[in-house]
Each structure stands twice: as structure tokens, then as C-alpha cells.
Amino acid sequence: MTIKKPSAIPSYEITSERAYLNRRQFMRRSGQFILGASAVLVGCGEADEPNSQTSEQKRIAIPEKVLTAGKQYPAPAWLQKQVSSARPSHFRADDPLTPYQDVTSYNNFYEFGTGKKDPASLAKDFVTDPWSLTVEGEAEKTGKFTLEDILKPHAIEERIYRFRCVEAWSMVVPWLGFSLADLLRRFQPTSKAKYVLFETLHDPKRMIGQRGQFSLIDWPYIEGLRIDEAMHPLAMMVVGLYGKTLPPQNGAPLRLMVPWKYGFKSIKSIVKITFTDMQPKTTWQNLAPNEYGFYANVNPAVDHPRWSQKRERRLPSSLFSPNYIDTMPFNGYADQVASLYKGMNLNKYF
């Protein structure tokens, strides 16, 4: 497990997105990322922030060519400015980044269809301004807040996380956002708050996947974390990726990222947070409790009933150029999070 010091320059400033979209070109330019077929994955960990910064360590403005290389999705000017000021954090996996094109075109977001390419197509006109977030339950400060109320107090940082889907494919993404714990503390949860529940927008007029009479999902989409999981430093609220605000298909304007859990836990387009003393029944838990547990920690030792979880297909990957790697416990973050589950039977509490 390697502990990374923060780089002076975000990843999207080092290599242009055009290079990211050309994997071979990217690998030629980034020699330290050249890996064999049996890639060794190095974990990211916490490190002390430097006490002071030299002029070279100060954030460098994102070049215009990077901002224009990929699409900038509609967002308020204040949010675009906040995202563009993001600085690299010490949470940085060493794995090669997944190309922007794959990150934004291969998605699970059933509110916009069940196919992997459906969200990018069907969410392209999804409007996220204005947006509000309701906070309820066991907390001193509750109510309805504008997106600006929620985001303005937080400095945005870049965190490079591995992202592992329960379907056994994975990505490595430079997310932009801030600590979930920092947000939740603002609402002053009481001692009764044992769990945190998150809810996605329910709006069939704008989310075509919610319109079907025969949908198996009982909308809205619901996810949850135990309070100590939510307060862990790795848990993150995301507002952007690759130096830009979030595309709709990736969960604009606000989504969760819990990198040691399967991707379905990282709920998108959040409109409600509820502090509760009861473990919530989450969407996939309700649909198939024998397949999708509440915890959903990445665990190669516990197979999905219909497929193995021992290996994963790291994107980009194709039939003629497959990119299979071994899956790591807790997605490679075991050193940071395994203590949360000390004494638990992870075969039972999956």
C-alpha cells in the first residue's frame, strides 16, 4: 500500500483529455503508468498535508485547452468557478485513469434507461439548475437548502479513486468534490443518528426510466450508509470529474462516492439526506436481498450468486483487447476501512 503525497498539479492539467481519449498515446506520455497484463494495483492512503506551499506547489489554473477538450455541461457560473479551482488531494490511486469518453458513456443510471449507453443519450438535456437538497431526521439543523447553500462552504478537491461495479467492471476516475463528513457535520446529527439515507430525484417527466408501469424499481432510488461509514475520510460528495462539473449521466449535480463499496452504493442526483436510527432498506436490497446486501463492500471472496467477483474488467476493454485484473478486498482500500467491520462476518453482512 503506497501513501501518495499531493501533486502540485491536478491530473487533468498534466495530460490533456485528448491524450486520455487515446489510450496508447496516453501510455506513451505517462511512462510511470505502463503496466503489463497482470497489472499491480497500488492503493491510495492518507498523508499529512504540507505545512506550507512553495510557489511551485500552488494550484495552477486549468488550461483552456483542457476545459474545452471535453464537453462542459450546463451549470451555474458559481459552480463552474468552484469546480475549476479544485486542487489535488492526497487521495490518489496510482492506477492509469480511465479515458473521459469511457467514464461519460458507459454508465448505470436506470432513471435514464437500462442500457450502458442510455444515460449519456437520454440525460443529455437534463436540467440541474435550480436544484435543492432536503435534510431530515435525527439532526439539529434540518430543512430545504439550495445547491449553492450546500456547496459554497466547501473547497473542491480532486480525488483519484478506483470505482468497482458489482457487475465486475471497473474504472479509475479523477472525481472533484469534498468530504461527505464535512457536509454531514454541518447539520449536527444527534446521538440517535446511526445511519444516513440518501435519495435520488423522482421526476418521471425528466427521467424517462422512471415512467415505465412495469419497472422493477420502486422509485425513488434509495441508498444508505452506517454513520461511521459516512463519516470516514474516503467517503466523498462529488460535483465534477476531469476538471469539469458532472455530466447528467454521471449523477449531476451532486452524487456520492464510496470507493471501497460496489458502485450502486454511490447514489446519483441526490435530493434528500435523512439521518435515522434504523438501518434503511435500500433499493437493490428490496429488489434482490440475496444478491445485494446493505453493506456491498467489494469482496473477491464473496461471489455474486450469478457471477464471480474474483476478477474485474478494467475499462477500456474490448473483446479483442480484454483488460482483466484481480479484484482487491475493499477495492484496494482495506488498510483504511477494514477496521469499520472488525468482528463482522462479511459473508453474512455482504
Side-chain angles (χ1 to χ4, degrees):
M1 191 68 65
T2 298
I3 296 179
K4 293 286 291 179
K5 291 289 185 180
S7 166
I9 309 174
S11 64
Y12 44 75
E13 296 179 25
I14 297 171
T15 307
S16 72
E17 286 182 7
R18 182 169 297 176
Y20 283 123
L21 297 179
N22 185 324
R23 186 167 180 260
R24 292 185 179 181
Q25 183 181 11
F26 168 71
M27 293 178 72
R28 288 199 299 270
R29 293 184 179 185
S30 304
Q32 75 264 30
F33 287 147
I34 296 178
L35 300 174
S38 56
V40 178
L41 304 182
V42 183
C44 64
E46 296 181 51
D48 293 332
E49 295 286 359
N51 293 325
S52 61
Q53 290 185 320
T54 65
S55 58
E56 289 78 18
Q57 288 175 315
K58 292 179 180 178
R59 192 193 65 79
I60 299 174
I62 301 173
E64 184 65 24
K65 65 180 180 180
V66 174
L67 289 175
T68 58
K71 183 177 180 181
Q72 175 69 60
Y73 288 85
W78 62 265
L79 179 54
Q80 292 190 31
K81 182 179 180 181
Q82 196 168 356
V83 166
S84 69
S85 68
R87 300 181 59 175
S89 77
H90 52 276
F91 299 100
R92 305 179 73 79
D94 281 342
D95 310 46
L97 299 184
T98 300
Y100 178 88
Q101 180 63 29
D102 291 280
V103 174
T104 58
S105 66
Y106 194 90
N107 309 105
N108 281 334
F109 197 178
Y110 289 165
E111 284 82 349
F112 294 103
T114 57
K116 293 292 185 289
K117 295 187 179 298
D118 287 347
S121 173
L122 300 176
K124 64 181 185 299
D125 298 321
F126 183 58
V127 177
T128 60
D129 181 27
W131 194 270
S132 61
L133 182 73
T134 299
V135 179
E136 298 179 343
E138 304 292 347
E140 297 295 334
K141 296 183 178 180
T142 59
K144 190 172 184 179
F145 305 88
T146 67
L147 186 65
E148 189 170 8
D149 291 334
I150 293 296
L151 299 185
K152 270 295 185 70
H154 300 279
I156 305 301
E157 61 183 20
E158 179 199 68
R159 299 184 179 190
I160 301 176
Y161 279 161
R162 290 178 290 272
F163 178 80
R164 170 61 153 83
C165 181
V166 72
E167 298 169 341
W169 55 266
S170 63
M171 299 178 173
V172 181
V173 183
W175 302 105
L176 302 174
F178 55 94
S179 168
L180 172 62
D182 287 347
L183 174 64
L184 298 184
R185 289 191 190 102
R186 289 171 54 196
F187 305 116
Q188 300 177 16
T190 70
S191 59
K192 293 182 179 180
K194 307 299 183 185
Y195 296 88
V196 186
L197 181 149
F198 303 89
E199 190 173 306
T200 293
L201 176 70
H202 183 212
D203 188 346
K205 290 183 178 179
R206 292 194 288 160
M207 293 175 143
I208 191 171
Q210 295 177 339
R211 298 178 193 171
Q213 299 181 38
F214 305 105
S215 173
L216 295 176
I217 295 178
D218 184 16
W219 308 106
Y221 191 92
I222 291 172
E223 260 305 337
L225 298 171
R226 212 169 57 192
I227 191 72
D228 58 340
E229 295 178 311
M231 292 296 186
H232 192 278
L234 284 174
M236 179 187 190
M237 294 300 283
V238 173
V239 296
L241 55 81
Y242 268 97
K244 300 179 179 65
T245 53
L246 273 176
Q249 63 267 30
N250 292 97
L254 186 68
R255 69 168 291 167
L256 183 64
M257 181 49 54
V258 193
W260 69 94
K261 294 179 178 289
Y262 291 120
F264 67 86
K265 295 293 290 186
S266 294
I267 187 170
K268 303 176 180 75
S269 300
I270 300 170
V271 294
K272 184 184 288 187
I273 295 176
T274 303
F275 296 94
T276 175
D277 60 347
M278 301 289 290
Q279 180 176 307
K281 279 287 188 179
T282 61
T283 293
W284 284 106
Q285 206 180 358
N286 278 326
L287 283 172
N290 65 316
E291 297 187 359
Y292 306 101
F294 174 79
Y295 287 96
N297 292 318
V298 176
N299 190 347
V302 177
D303 290 336
H304 187 280
R306 289 179 280 132
W307 57 79
S308 170
Q309 295 289 21
K310 292 179 176 60
R311 306 197 78 205
E312 64 200 65
R313 181 170 56 91
R314 175 64 58 80
L315 300 180
S317 175
S318 68
L319 178 63
F320 299 106
S321 182
N323 185 19
Y324 285 96
I325 60 176
D326 292 336
T327 291
M328 296 179 288
F330 297 104
N331 205 23
Y333 300 96
D335 287 355
Q336 289 84 11
V337 302
S339 61
L340 293 173
Y341 312 100
K342 186 177 180 179
M344 290 178 60
N345 181 344
L346 297 183
N347 291 321
K348 179 181 179 181
Y349 297 103
F350 60 91

